[in-house]
Amino acid sequence: MNTPKRAVVVGATNGIGKAISCRLAADGFSVVAVGRNKEGRADEIVKNLTECSLAAKKSEQDATTQHEFRPCDAFSLEQVKECAAGIVRDHSKIDALVMTQGMATIQGFTPTSEGNDEKLTLHFWSRAAFAALLLPSLRASSMPGGPVVMTILSGGVHSPYTKYKEDPELRKNYSVKNAADGAGFYSDLFFDKLAKQPSNQGINFIHSAPGFVSSNWGTEMPFYLKAPVRFMQKLGGKSPSKCASFMVEPILQCASGDIGLVRPSSTAQGFFIMNEDATSGKLTKLHTEEAIESVWDTAGKVLGKAGVSLDDGTCNN
């Protein structure tokens, strides 16, 4: 009996993340679903994943395909560190990491308990931390096309955040646009840097854009904005399951021995930009080695305060 492939999905309790978890479970992956658990829904989440497995092709689930839920509030980098450390401790091999946690608000700079902006924490800092900390188990993957690290945010559709040197944490120049561009731009730069590290050769790092999806996106918005957003989602948004079918495509390709995406530049080594339809996207014009090193340095300082080292993807106590 073959050991099932294992995927960690952060933000797996709702929307795109939930749909991706179900799709991976249906394709034979054991899923580690990570998300907030305020309602105590751990058993329900695992049950749903088991049903996704059963509904696929088999009359009964393979006994080796076991799903689980891990609680984590990604606003807290300390909790991210603890959650990731537990996953690595219990699972020496991970084949895919998918990160979808996020929020849609019009708020200004809003600090978490650790002093970082909430939106930038969900969209970038926590994702960088999860990726760095799970690298030991990802490197042990035996997927034919290599393991996949995918951050689903704004690949190929954001603009560069030009003040990445003078105001890297957006404490002085915060706006809804700068927060969106900053998280997207930083994701390109950070994951490109990870892909270029010799110890990560063979890992596929992907920054993708989901497109317009009819999900619970925008829940945090005021009612006068949330209502028209919901209306537009019903008119033109694709379903989370349809979005998931595109997002998991490179993971399933790697599971069978290939990846259909094209690297966004001649210098990219295992880093890819993916459009909403699973085609290859492009980098911004400010994607330079200088910008990569600047954002890497900033990420190291922010994550370092929470005990996360970028030198080798470890936790510092």
Side-chain angles (χ1 to χ4, degrees):
M1 185 177 293
N2 294 328
T3 301
K5 298 172 288 295
R6 190 176 307 279
V8 176
V9 182
V10 186
T13 57
N14 289 294
I16 297 171
K18 183 177 181 179
I20 288 173
S21 297
C22 182
R23 176 59 192 271
L24 290 173
D27 278 283
F29 281 76
S30 286
V31 177
V32 180
V34 178
R36 285 184 286 182
N37 190 32
K38 289 184 177 180
E39 300 82 16
R41 294 184 297 144
D43 291 342
E44 175 190 346
I45 293 166
V46 173
K47 179 182 177 182
N48 287 340
L49 288 170
T50 301
E51 290 174 350
C52 291
S53 297
L54 294 174
K57 303 169 184 175
K58 305 175 183 178
S59 57
E60 60 182 76
Q61 185 184 17
D62 189 325
T64 62
T65 306
Q66 300 294 322
H67 309 299
E68 60 185 273
F69 175 77
R70 301 265 177 156
C72 180
D73 184 347
F75 280 121
S76 168
L77 295 181
E78 285 285 347
Q79 285 198 35
V80 170
K81 180 184 70 173
E82 293 173 7
C83 180
I87 293 172
V88 170
R89 180 189 63 239
D90 297 338
H91 301 296
S92 60
K93 180 177 73 69
I94 296 171
D95 301 294
L97 166 63
V98 182
M99 296 171 286
T100 70
Q101 67 269 34
M103 63 191 299
T105 68
I106 57 172
Q107 67 192 34
F109 186 101
T110 305
T112 65
S113 61
E114 297 162 329
N116 305 307
D117 175 62
E118 286 186 350
K119 189 176 293 185
L120 198 55
T121 296
L122 286 188
H123 293 171
F124 178 65
W125 306 128
S126 66
R127 299 179 186 216
F130 264 118
L133 292 168
L134 294 182
L135 282 173
S137 294
L138 286 159
R139 291 169 183 150
S141 170
S142 57
M143 279 217 304
V148 174
V149 174
M150 179 181 292
T151 183
I152 299 177
L153 187 62
S154 60
V157 300
H158 61 81
S159 299
Y161 171 59
T162 59
K163 297 184 182 296
Y164 61 88
K165 287 189 291 186
E166 55 262 47
D167 186 26
E169 298 179 47
L170 282 76
R171 295 181 182 275
K172 300 177 181 179
N173 298 278
Y174 193 95
S175 69
V176 172
K177 177 173 171 52
N178 283 346
D181 287 341
F185 188 50
Y186 287 6
S187 295
D188 287 352
L189 299 166
F190 180 85
F191 289 107
D192 192 4
K193 173 75 173 183
L194 275 187
K196 289 175 179 175
Q197 294 181 328
S199 56
N200 296 331
Q201 289 186 5
I203 300 178
N204 304 288
F205 294 90
I206 302 172
H207 179 195
S208 66
F212 194 47
V213 182
S214 182
S215 66
N216 62 347
W217 181 86
T219 300
E220 305 89 350
M221 288 184 175
F223 73 92
Y224 57 84
L225 291 178
K226 185 161 55 177
V229 166
R230 290 288 179 267
F231 178 72
M232 289 187 291
Q233 285 176 322
K234 290 181 179 180
L235 281 182
K238 58 177 172 283
S239 68
S241 60
K242 184 173 183 179
C243 174
S245 68
F246 287 116
M247 294 297 102
V248 302
E249 191 168 309
I251 299 174
L252 300 182
Q253 287 176 336
C254 285
S256 64
D258 193 15
I259 183 169
L261 297 174
V262 177
R263 294 183 179 89
S265 73
S266 59
T267 61
Q269 301 174 18
F271 177 64
F272 305 87
I273 298 293
M274 190 171 83
N275 298 322
E276 62 179 277
D277 59 354
T279 57
S280 299
K282 297 180 179 180
L283 298 168
T284 69
K285 293 181 179 180
L286 291 187
H287 192 99
T288 64
E289 287 301 319
E290 184 275 332
I292 289 173
E293 294 304 322
S294 180
V295 168
W296 182 262
D297 182 64
T298 297
K301 292 175 181 177
V302 171
L303 301 186
K305 294 176 183 177
V308 179
S309 170
L310 293 182
D311 291 336
D312 55 4
T314 58
C315 297
N316 295 329
N317 297 320

